[in-house]
Amino acid sequence: MIIFAIKIKTMRRYLYFLILFFTFILGFYFYLAYSNLSGNVFIYPLDDAYIHLALARNFAENGVWGVNPGSFDSASSSILYTLILSGLIKLFGDNVYYPLIVNVFAGYGTVYYAYRYFSDFYGKKEVLWGLILLIPYCQLCYMMLIGMEQTLHILLTVMMLYYLVKNLKSDFASYDCLKLFFVSMLFGAVRFESMFFISILAFLLLLSKNWKVSLMVFFAGFLPIVIFGIFSVKSGGYFFPNSLLMKGNYPESNFFVSVWNIFKNGIVLNISFYKLFLAPFLILFFYFLSKYKTFDWRKIVVNEVVTITVFGTIVLHSLFAVIRYRYESYLTAALVLILVPVVVAFFTQKQADGKFSLYRKLVLGSFSLVVVYSIYISVFNYKVVKYASKNIEEQQIEMARFLHIFYPNQKIVANDIGAISYFSDVEIFDIAGLASTNVAGFYLENKHLGTKLFDKKYHDYMSEIIHKDKFRVAVIYPKWFPDGVPADWIPIVSWTIKKKTGVANQTVVWYAVNEKEAGILLQNLKKFDLNKNVEKQYYK
């Protein structure tokens, strides 16, 4: 009893130390980003954070799920996160810091639940190494700072695994089951990639003959997705958000060819897959070889529900979604919870034979790659945090400021819509399709065409809408307009920033869509007090 109390006290010390360490890194990141800004308001390092804010405000104030006041456009890929922001705006008024506040709470919640996971189910070694690895490996501090839903997704992933293991140990006691079902519902609502996790978990529970729990988990996880899908279709959108239509991978008309392309692009030729997941898969492989001398799939399914669910989710996510930028963070958080106990077990067990010793060395080598990646991504994120907010301030915020002053309540064309939609009262036609459902729909219906034909049709389709609906000006990355910028558009000025961090391109170009608008736009641009760090180049 005394030994147990000492262990608990030691593990709590680990938690307190890691919280202090975590707080220090988060504070340093915030200072690093804020200190490079020219104003006194924090700027998120990612323009997409402002899409959530714009949509949440529009939903809170006008009951419309979109960034344009009177138009339903499913520009957010997180039901839950947008609803939380919308609820805060409804209750307390508009505030640009809501995403940061929500992320801070979710970040500390993640550390707490990771601690609960390791301390409740394992020991002090797992607590120490698990918490140390969690922060850099899933980029937790960086995820909190960008103001997106990823931190909330990480938290709910850790909670899902915690309550899953708790249920497995309690044989799905009723009170534990209710918690699992509730978290499954939130998990399904936070990001649509959660469908992969929910589907695999439900299938494994079904194979384990826990069919009631399987159906309830499946129902709870998919309920918010189905409800939102019905709401979206009835509102004139598609079942899934526009971002999934534009970025997702799914079989097309030539089924077998498209399946091979999905597998090839998602795993075989995807460098990010190997960089992120090769070492963890090797650890899993050696773990199974050492633990199971003979292959008995029923035994493996029953004993390894958690491990198979996580690695199965990685495979499905790699095939059908994106594993770059930030979308993989919930997977790396889950891997920490899976890998750390396995690695610790390898090095605390007594050596049985030479083969086990070989496995131990291979696991150590693979785990070292995980640690190296954690260090690499931390160094990489340092550079992003240092410059990304400054670049967003110089590009996206300046575009929004200009439009707010000179084109209030006017129709404009853009491809980076976050800050523009939140800080300026304009109606946006989004050539990237996130905030324009008709563009996303055209992309979905025609993406099977060859590149040249698709770009030509895409170009003509958008040009016709822009002309017919009398949009006045455009501010875009020229290369983003399929088959080139329309010939009748008149380039007025380019704005160029010094670094390309946090933005897709260093240069944006302002266009007048006709001769009449050209003179007006030119005069407005000359009147505008542009950020001194931005280089402007007039075309005439």
Side-chain angles (χ1 to χ4, degrees):
M1 190 70 179
I2 295 174
I3 296 174
F4 178 74
I6 293 173
K7 285 184 178 180
I8 293 294
K9 190 174 181 180
T10 302
M11 288 190 288
R12 284 179 179 170
R13 284 178 180 172
Y14 291 158
L15 173 64
Y16 300 148
F17 172 76
L18 263 298
I19 285 178
L20 287 174
F21 179 64
F22 175 63
T23 303
F24 172 79
I25 296 175
L26 179 62
F28 173 71
Y29 270 19
F30 183 85
Y31 171 77
L32 190 64
Y34 185 78
S35 62
N36 283 316
L37 300 175
S38 60
N40 57 4
V41 177
F42 176 72
I43 304 296
Y44 294 103
L46 202 63
D47 185 60
D48 290 8
Y50 297 105
I51 298 177
H52 284 296
L53 276 169
L55 200 157
R57 182 178 62 191
N58 196 18
F59 190 63
E61 295 177 352
N62 304 307
V64 177
W65 193 271
V67 299
N68 291 319
S71 172
F72 176 91
D73 295 291
S74 189
S76 169
S77 54
S78 176
I79 306 165
L80 179 63
Y81 187 61
T82 307
L83 286 176
I84 290 173
L85 295 179
S86 185
L88 290 171
I89 292 170
K90 190 75 172 177
L91 290 172
F92 306 110
D94 193 13
N95 193 306
V96 74
Y97 288 105
Y98 286 148
L100 187 61
I101 293 169
V102 173
N103 271 269
V104 167
F105 276 100
Y108 281 101
T110 298
V111 174
Y112 171 74
Y113 265 96
Y115 165 77
R116 286 283 305 275
Y117 180 88
F118 290 119
S119 62
D120 287 3
F121 308 132
Y122 298 99
K124 61 181 183 179
K125 290 181 180 179
E126 288 85 352
V127 170
L128 177 62
W129 291 108
L131 293 181
I132 288 175
L133 186 61
L134 177 73
I135 296 170
Y137 192 49
C138 71
Q139 311 171 62
L140 189 57
C141 291
Y142 173 69
M143 292 301 143
M144 293 166 67
L145 205 63
I146 63 175
M148 296 293 286
E149 73 275 15
Q150 270 70 37
T151 312
L152 193 59
H153 199 194
I154 293 170
L155 169 61
L156 289 168
T157 302
V158 174
M159 292 177 69
M160 275 295 295
L161 291 173
Y162 175 81
Y163 287 113
L164 174 57
V165 174
K166 195 172 181 64
N167 273 274
L168 291 169
K169 289 184 177 295
S170 70
D171 197 24
F172 296 95
S174 57
Y175 188 61
D176 290 334
C177 266
L178 288 175
K179 291 180 181 178
L180 180 63
F181 298 152
F182 178 69
V183 175
S184 297
M185 193 178 300
L186 297 177
F187 190 54
V190 71
R191 276 196 69 85
F192 286 77
E193 292 95 332
S194 300
M195 292 186 296
F196 305 139
F197 187 104
I198 293 294
S199 299
I200 293 171
L201 175 58
F203 180 66
L204 291 175
L205 290 173
L206 192 64
L207 291 179
S208 302
K209 299 182 179 179
N210 288 309
W211 62 271
K212 288 184 180 179
V213 179
S214 170
L215 291 175
M216 287 301 294
V217 166
F218 188 83
F219 175 80
F222 274 83
L223 181 63
I225 295 172
V226 172
I227 291 174
F228 178 81
I230 294 171
F231 165 69
S232 179
V233 170
K234 285 189 174 182
S235 300
Y238 290 86
F239 189 87
F240 291 112
N242 295 346
S243 58
L244 267 68
L245 303 182
M246 301 296 292
K247 298 178 182 179
N249 302 316
Y250 31 81
E252 298 171 9
S253 54
N254 193 330
F255 181 79
F256 293 105
V257 173
S258 62
V259 167
W260 164 245
N261 287 332
I262 288 171
F263 181 71
K264 179 182 67 176
N265 297 327
I267 293 180
V268 177
L269 300 181
N270 190 345
I271 295 174
S272 296
F273 177 84
Y274 298 105
K275 186 166 61 175
L276 282 162
F277 304 128
L278 177 60
F281 269 87
L282 288 174
I283 294 171
L284 174 70
F285 178 70
F286 299 132
Y287 164 71
F288 274 97
L289 284 180
S290 65
K291 186 173 180 179
Y292 299 98
K293 306 304 180 185
T294 58
F295 180 77
D296 184 343
W297 70 267
R298 291 182 180 85
K299 184 179 179 181
I300 293 174
V301 166
V302 171
N303 293 342
E304 307 294 345
V305 170
V306 178
T307 303
I308 297 172
T309 299
V310 170
F311 280 87
T313 303
I314 289 172
V315 171
L316 290 183
H317 184 110
S318 301
L319 291 173
F320 298 106
V322 179
I323 55 170
R324 297 188 300 277
Y325 311 123
R326 62 191 180 275
Y327 302 108
E328 75 285 351
S329 56
Y330 80 107
L331 298 172
T332 51
L335 281 173
V336 171
L337 273 59
I338 300 301
L339 296 180
V340 168
V342 169
V343 174
V344 170
F346 260 100
F347 289 93
T348 54
Q349 292 176 17
K350 292 182 179 179
Q351 183 171 327
D353 52 36
K355 186 180 288 187
F356 182 83
S357 178
L358 175 62
Y359 291 153
R360 179 180 289 180
K361 292 176 182 177
L362 293 171
V363 166
L364 175 61
S366 300
F367 190 69
S368 298
L369 293 176
V370 172
V371 174
V372 168
Y373 173 79
S374 301
I375 297 170
Y376 156 77
I377 200 66
S378 298
V379 173
F380 178 82
N381 285 338
Y382 168 83
K383 295 179 180 179
V384 174
V385 169
K386 186 175 182 179
Y387 298 111
S389 291
K390 177 177 167 57
N391 287 347
I392 295 295
E393 179 188 41
E394 293 169 349
Q395 191 175 93
Q396 279 74 14
I397 298 298
E398 287 299 274
M399 291 189 295
R401 201 162 63 85
F402 174 81
L403 291 169
H404 177 72
I405 295 170
F406 295 103
Y407 291 88
N409 303 311
Q410 300 299 306
K411 293 181 176 182
I412 66 101
V413 180
N415 53 237
D416 254 7
I417 62 166
I420 290 175
S421 60
Y422 183 66
F423 290 111
S424 59
D425 301 319
V426 294
E427 181 181 337
I428 299 170
F429 180 79
D430 179 15
I431 65 170
L434 294 183
S436 298
T437 301
N438 51 354
V439 174
F442 182 89
Y443 177 87
L444 178 67
E445 293 166 9
N446 293 276
K447 62 177 294 188
H448 63 280
L449 299 174
T451 303
K452 287 187 178 180
L453 178 58
F454 172 78
D455 285 348
K456 180 66 170 61
K457 291 187 67 174
Y458 206 3
H459 174 101
D460 293 344
Y461 174 76
M462 290 197 292
S463 298
E464 182 182 351
I465 291 176
I466 292 166
H467 176 74
K468 183 180 68 175
D469 292 346
K470 295 180 171 57
F471 283 85
R472 296 184 59 187
V473 300
V475 54
I476 62 170
Y477 303 131
K479 291 183 179 179
W480 281 34
F481 206 105
D483 202 34
V485 174
D488 57 345
W489 285 16
I490 304 163
I492 305 298
V493 70
S494 65
W495 287 355
T496 302
I497 59 176
K498 294 177 182 178
K499 289 184 179 290
K500 181 187 172 184
T501 306
V503 299
N505 202 303
Q506 288 175 257
T507 301
V508 296
V509 178
W510 288 91
Y511 293 91
V513 298
N514 55 54
E515 195 68 45
K516 178 183 176 183
E517 291 293 340
I520 299 171
L521 179 58
L522 177 61
Q523 291 304 311
N524 290 337
L525 286 164
K526 287 184 176 180
K527 292 176 187 176
F528 183 63
D529 182 23
L530 183 63
N531 187 304
K532 63 182 181 180
N533 295 318
V534 182
E535 179 186 341
K536 56 184 175 182
Q537 182 71 46
Y538 288 98
Y539 286 86
K540 64 176 183 178

